[in-house]
Amino acid sequence: LARIDEKTIIQHVYERASACRQLDRVVVATDDQRVVDEVKSFGGQAYLTSPSHRNGTERCAELARQLDVTHCVNIQGDEPLIEPNQIDTVCHLLQQGAEIATLKKQISSQEDLLDPNIVKVVTNLNDDAMYFSRSIIPYPRLSLEHVHYRHLGLYGFEANILQQIVALHPTPLEQSESLEQLRWLQHGYSISVGVTELDSIGVDTPADLKKVQSIVNDRKST
């Protein structure tokens, strides 16, 4: 509910998602009535979901059951810089038959490479995820020039697959890295990974909010 210029973060995310050509419908799933009221105040759709969900995937699954959809995309409500064509890329992977789809972006700085809060991903030759980690993967034993990728937390799901994965038991890899997508991989599900050259910033702290506001100001001045 924090504001960037005259709009709340959730309104920025909602409007960017609504600009995606591939989505039939955009709705907000939340367990907070204040968010529901805010979304409705700018003409959006919002649903109040169970407060017992452990993560956004479970919240998304509840709403997918209510709306009886065939596919859905889980867009984080705290990423006001998400680009519509990033969402389009995930939708395209679903249209090609992906069970689960997500994105990666090339890491451009040593700082990001070493940051455990930035999740790394490696893929096979078919662009399916092999592993996600908070550590550097692959480890640059012989050369620092290897291209590394960060994972962006945008997911698309085939609806039946979504219901299956929220029923899975946690796995050792997930518990070790605190990454739920490792549970899906360890249970044998496939995650298709598209490439984006654009970044997206989640607003988790006041410092993040200032950073995003600065980016927005820079864009307005150019």
Side-chain angles (χ1 to χ4, degrees), residues 36-101:
V36 172
D37 294 342
E38 166 62 18
V39 173
K40 291 183 177 180
S41 75
F42 60 74
Q45 296 184 53
Y47 288 77
L48 202 61
T49 55
S50 171
S52 65
H53 294 312
R54 295 168 294 181
N55 51 52
T57 308
E58 292 184 1
R59 196 173 309 285
C60 190
E62 178 190 336
L63 192 55
R65 289 192 297 272
Q66 290 185 34
L67 301 180
D68 192 28
V69 298
T70 60
H71 296 81
C72 60
V73 179
N74 185 0
I75 302 162
Q76 302 298 319
D78 63 355
E79 299 205 8
L81 301 181
I82 190 75
E83 293 288 347
N85 61 2
Q86 291 177 309
I87 305 170
D88 279 332
T89 298
V90 169
C91 291
H92 182 64
L93 292 172
L94 293 174
Q95 291 167 348
Q96 291 180 316
E99 294 181 335
I100 305 169

Side-chain angles (χ1 to χ4, degrees), residues 28-195:
V28 173
T30 178
D31 63 358
D32 193 319
Q33 185 62 48
R34 294 171 299 173
V35 176
V36 172
D37 294 342
E38 166 62 18
V39 173
K40 291 183 177 180
S41 75
F42 60 74
Q45 296 184 53
Y47 288 77
L48 202 61
T49 55
S50 171
S52 65
H53 294 312
R54 295 168 294 181
N55 51 52
T57 308
E58 292 184 1
R59 196 173 309 285
C60 190
E62 178 190 336
L63 192 55
R65 289 192 297 272
Q66 290 185 34
L67 301 180
D68 192 28
V69 298
T70 60
H71 296 81
C72 60
V73 179
N74 185 0
I75 302 162
Q76 302 298 319
D78 63 355
E79 299 205 8
L81 301 181
I82 190 75
E83 293 288 347
N85 61 2
Q86 291 177 309
I87 305 170
D88 279 332
T89 298
V90 169
C91 291
H92 182 64
L93 292 172
L94 293 174
Q95 291 167 348
Q96 291 180 316
E99 294 181 335
I100 305 169
T102 191
L103 294 178
K104 66 179 181 180
K105 178 187 180 295
Q106 184 174 336
I107 294 175
S108 57
S109 74
Q110 189 79 358
E111 180 182 1
D112 286 351
L113 188 61
L114 298 174
D115 188 346
N117 294 312
I118 293 179
V119 178
K120 292 78 179 176
V121 59
V122 291
T123 55
N124 63 20
L125 297 179
N126 295 319
D127 294 322
D128 296 321
M130 297 174 64
Y131 195 71
F132 297 85
S133 181
R134 298 183 182 279
S135 300
I136 301 175
I137 52 172
Y139 183 78
R141 183 176 181 183
L142 299 178
S143 173
L144 291 174
E145 295 180 359
H146 183 87
V147 176
H148 292 82
Y149 289 93
R150 66 175 295 176
H151 173 234
L152 299 185
L154 173 68
Y155 292 106
F157 303 97
E158 195 277 321
N160 291 332
I161 298 296
L162 175 59
Q163 302 307 325
Q164 292 173 27
I165 63 174
V166 295
L168 297 174
H169 294 294
T171 63
L173 291 179
E174 174 194 10
Q175 292 169 332
S176 176
E177 297 254 20
S178 190
L179 297 172
E180 65 173 324
Q181 61 267 43
L182 291 178
R183 183 195 318 180
W184 314 338
L185 286 181
Q186 201 161 12
H187 278 283
Y189 288 86
S190 174
I191 304 176
S192 297
V193 183
V195 179

Side-chain angles (χ1 to χ4, degrees), residues 203-222:
V203 180
D204 299 316
T205 66
D208 293 334
L209 183 62
K210 290 182 180 179
K211 183 176 181 180
V212 170
Q213 181 66 71
S214 177
I215 293 172
V216 171
N217 291 342
D218 289 343
R219 290 179 177 179
K220 288 192 297 185
S221 64
T222 57

